[in-house]
Amino acid sequence: MNVLVLGSGGREHALTWAISRSERCGELFVAPGNGGTAAIATNVPVNTEDAEAIIGFARDHAIDLVVVGPEAPLVAGVADELRKAGLLVFGPDAQGARLEGSKSFSKEFMLAHDLPTARYKKCTSQDEAMAYLHEVGAPIVVKADGLAAGKGVVVAETMEDAEEAVRDCFAGDFGEAGSTVVIEEMLEGPECSMLAFLAGGKALCMPCAQDHKRAYDGDRGPNTGGMGVYSPVPCVTPELEEQMRSIMEAAAAATAKDFDEPYRGVLYGGFMLTAEGPKLLEFNARFGDPETQVLMPRLASDALDVFEAVARGSLEGVELSWRSECAVSVVLASEGYPGKYEKGKVILGIEEAEALDDVIVFHAGTAFNADDELVTNGGRVLNVVALADTFEEARERAYEACDKINFEGKQYRRDIAMRAIEG
């Protein structure tokens, strides 16, 4: 099969890497791709939200399957247009993508189908939001309703923080995404994500993963798109995992009832493991980033077979098998991330890092300069992934690999996966 992957981040490099390992993989393209995807596929300068351009490219290159990586094209309805043109697409249509594109829509969906989640209120003005804040008090969670690249959520410990978060949203910090705000109770417990392949109202769940959202060690600093991740998650007991699986399966069945078109893609469930059991924090309508970077290396099944089955709308006969090893991924970021940062810093040492056993380096924000040197091209630059029989070994190997990679201003957390070891 000839395959086109849409996106340019670490998630898309991991998906491209997994697809490239299939014996059935023919020509492989990534639009627009990055410095890492260029080594295993052909990068093409096609806008991920330009459905007409994607359709034209797919027809010119006999593309058999399009895999949509990021959320923005899904929310914009790109998958809808591609399907209308007769293309086979992995990724939900715009209606299904609203589970991520609108937090209020997602919360209403959860409540309508008795999926456990936090109490909340949707506010469409700053005055309404402030009044509700003073009614319920802090700690509280303030969320921009729309897409905000993983940064539109503030866990406010004080009223001052909560009020500032509300003001930031309505001041336009997140554009149209902040014109509506969701304020919800703060749940307590460890966070965890479970992703599932959805098709025909059925769900095939993946192993759990645990992200590290904050910028600095000890979960300090601002929220980011994710600074590291590991899988499996030792604090998730078999009983908890089964409860989460049941919730994801119920959500999949609900999509078949509520949506005009079948949901065909990945549904990401962000959970808080509370004393009352797992509760949903959010849904995402695509693979997580950086969760994908530990899930794809653990996937023992043929990724292309699975993606094609989902795109065709049936999980009948599909079985997933997973490697037993622990996987740890550390994000190497540009100095200043998630704030302002510079691009164009030359990157060295990736080959030496990947020479270590069971180490894979997925590129997130990289490109080539005029001298054909690999350089930084984003806030999150690389995902350094290591697999091993224990978390101690996987962490040691991942950080050994991180030390071999260098670029000016390299920053990263040094406590990724310590939770898995300390319990």
Side-chain angles (χ1 to χ4, degrees), residues 163-188:
E163 290 172 350
E164 182 182 1
V166 166
R167 283 193 291 267
D168 288 346
C169 283
F170 287 107
D173 281 18
F174 303 107
E176 186 63 28
S179 62
T180 298
V181 169
V182 171
I183 300 175
E184 64 180 44
E185 71 170 315
M186 189 175 80
L187 301 175
E188 293 189 6

Side-chain angles (χ1 to χ4, degrees), residues 342-395:
E342 296 181 357
K343 298 180 181 181
K345 309 299 183 183
V346 175
I347 303 168
L348 301 172
I350 290 179
E351 286 187 10
E352 290 81 355
E354 290 197 310
L356 297 172
D357 290 341
D358 278 329
V359 168
I360 311 161
V361 179
F362 292 124
H363 296 224
T366 68
F368 291 99
N369 64 15
D371 297 321
D372 207 30
E373 297 171 307
L374 185 71
V375 296
T376 64
N377 193 44
R380 292 187 293 173
V381 178
L382 299 167
N383 306 109
V384 181
V385 183
L387 288 89
D389 291 334
T390 68
F391 277 113
E392 288 88 347
E393 292 175 284
R395 277 194 85 252

